[in-house]
Amino acid sequence: MKLNREFLFSLSVAIVSFHLLDFSSSKAATVTPTVNVTIGAGGGVGPTPVIPETTTTVETTGDANGDGEITTTVGDAIAVQTSNFRAIAPAPQAAVTATTQAASAASQAATADPSSPAAAAAERFNEGARAASDYFGGASSVAVSGVPNQTYNITLPGETSYSTGAEIVDIGGFAHDAGATPQLSEAGSGTFNVAADVNDAGQFQTAGSEAGGEGDTVGDVGSVEQILATPVVTRSPFVSIIVSYN
Amino acid sequence: MKKLTLLAVPAFAAAMAMSASSYAASSGSTATVTIKTPISVAEDTPLAFGTVIPTVATNSASVVLDFADGTSGSTNATVTGATSGDFTVSGADSSSFVLSGLGTVQMTGTGTDMPLTLTSSPAAGTLALSSGTLAIAVGGTLTVGANQASGAYTASYDVTVNYN
């Protein structure tokens, strides 16, 4: 019997693909450095270091030496140099109303007859109105001086009133425009404005009758002259504004 | 009687061309391999807290060292000569890796141990190399105890980088 020898080989070749990594040294790395510090002698051994005091040039609390003035090691006391409280705005409303009415009356009279005495009176009124405005200025200005760059406080008066003889005028609501933290300049100077509300408690009496149109008499326009002759506010009383270092 | 001998050969040990195509098969194949640059980390500038002088001996102090040689939050202490640590990580471009280690270590020396909590910029975690490198800065917070004894203190810490 013939025996067939057959050798069977099966072979497969696979595609081999792989990544070569040296797991022992290339996938991770570590360094172990050291960190040092030296604790100085002030850390518990020896005397505590002395921190030098901060020098100051301004007394921080009012009149420390009791001489009636707030002084500084540098020198100048803070002081109000100038103020013009004689004019406090706004003008009493009654005066404003009266002058407005009078101006209207004078204008009407002048329009009706430019050559009439009313026209001449109107011209005088206009001059008087400009003069009257001098009595009613804008906000009062205040100039102060003291230590350069020093901050200071402003204390304004409360409500006050005075009599003009014709009426009582209330003044209140004082306010300044120096901001929350006023500060003197590098030259040691500063300015700020003060304004207030003026309330006319009385009734302004208009002299003469209502004027207007043709036939007005000098007497009617003369009421304007009477207003100008008797201003509601000639001048306001002085008020106190206090400035102090803080 | 003749014996039939079968020769057993491991299948992967040899390749043999067979005249009868039905008993064997073969195909061309390709073997590929990619060699990746090993990752490494090197210290360029040592981390140092310099000289710390507590202002009030009986109080504790803390010193925060940022990533640019600056100290802050130095309550109750003056610090001179502090430097942030600088490291360079190198490896295969654009590869991502994990930065670990750091943490809190104890500085030991002439007195009581002082804890040092280390931080890094970028923060520890998964990062990526750019042009094959990445700079790492190390800072931290050192807590100095009350009545800390003067002298030198030191600690070791790890900075580990690992491809992921």
Side-chain angles (χ1 to χ4, degrees):
Chain A
M1 178 173 62
K2 183 177 183 181
L3 179 65
N4 294 322
R5 300 172 184 171
E6 295 180 341
F7 297 89
L8 299 177
F9 294 92
S10 63
L11 175 67
S12 64
V13 177
I15 298 176
V16 178
S17 172
F18 57 90
H19 293 278
L20 175 63
L21 292 175
D22 182 349
F23 288 91
S24 64
S25 63
S26 64
K27 188 176 186 296
T30 298
V31 292
T32 306
T34 58
V35 53
N36 302 300
V37 66
T38 300
I39 301 299
V45 178
T48 300
V50 176
I51 300 174
E53 293 182 355
T54 302
T55 58
T56 58
T57 59
V58 178
E59 291 181 344
T60 57
T61 57
D63 182 14
N65 56 9
D67 62 356
E69 294 183 347
I70 298 175
T71 59
T72 72
T73 57
V74 176
D76 296 340
I78 191 167
V80 174
Q81 298 300 333
T82 61
S83 66
N84 56 345
F85 294 112
R86 295 191 177 193
I88 293 182
Q93 186 57 44
V96 173
T97 302
T99 53
T100 302
Q101 292 175 346
S104 176
S107 176
Q108 292 176 18
T111 301
D113 184 0
S115 63
S116 68
E123 181 179 354
R124 292 197 300 275
F125 170 80
N126 288 333
E127 295 175 353
R130 287 190 292 272
S133 68
D134 292 339
Y135 289 104
F136 313 120
S140 303
S141 65
V142 179
V144 296
S145 65
V147 176
N149 300 312
Q150 176 59 43
T151 56
Y152 61 98
N153 296 317
I154 301 172
T155 303
L156 299 176
E159 290 186 355
T160 186
S161 63
Y162 64 94
S163 172
T164 65
E167 61 180 7
I168 302 298
V169 179
D170 297 325
I171 305 177
F174 284 87
H176 66 77
D177 64 354
T181 310
Q183 184 177 17
L184 298 175
S185 67
E186 291 184 356
S189 63
T191 59
F192 58 89
N193 298 306
V194 176
D197 295 331
V198 179
N199 300 309
D200 173 25
Q203 293 294 324
F204 182 75
Q205 300 297 321
T206 303
S209 61
E210 181 178 355
E214 186 174 6
D216 288 345
T217 63
V218 174
D220 291 334
V221 180
S223 65
V224 175
E225 296 174 313
Q226 292 181 9
I227 292 173
L228 295 178
T230 310
V232 174
V233 178
T234 55
R235 62 186 59 184
S236 67
F238 285 103
V239 295
S240 298
I241 294 182
I242 301 173
V243 292
S244 58
Y245 290 133
N246 62 2
Chain B
M1 172 180 277
K2 295 183 179 177
K3 294 183 180 178
L4 178 63
T5 302
L6 294 177
L7 177 63
V9 177
F12 59 82
M16 179 178 290
M18 305 298 293
S19 59
S21 62
S22 62
Y23 297 112
S26 66
S27 63
S29 62
T30 302
T32 63
V33 61
T34 300
I35 306 298
K36 194 164 187 176
T37 304
I39 193 168
S40 65
V41 57
E43 180 187 47
D44 301 319
T45 304
L47 172 67
F49 275 78
T51 300
V52 175
I53 303 177
T55 304
V56 179
T58 55
N59 293 347
S60 62
S62 69
V63 177
V64 178
L65 177 57
D66 61 22
F67 307 117
D69 302 338
T71 54
S72 62
S74 303
T75 57
N76 190 40
T78 58
V79 183
T80 57
T83 57
S84 309
D86 295 312
F87 298 80
T88 299
V89 180
S90 301
D93 187 24
S94 303
S95 294
S96 65
F97 68 96
V98 175
L99 172 66
S100 61
L102 303 174
T104 298
V105 297
Q106 296 294 325
M107 301 201 73
T108 60
T110 56
T112 306
D113 292 352
M114 297 181 292
L116 169 60
T117 300
L118 298 162
T119 55
S120 67
S121 175
T126 300
L127 305 170
L129 298 174
S130 176
S131 301
T133 63
L134 184 67
I136 306 291
V138 175
T141 300
L142 173 68
T143 301
V144 180
N147 298 309
Q148 186 75 40
S150 59
Y153 295 76
T154 187
S156 297
Y157 63 99
D158 290 333
V159 177
T160 300
V161 293
N162 196 327
Y163 279 132
N164 59 0

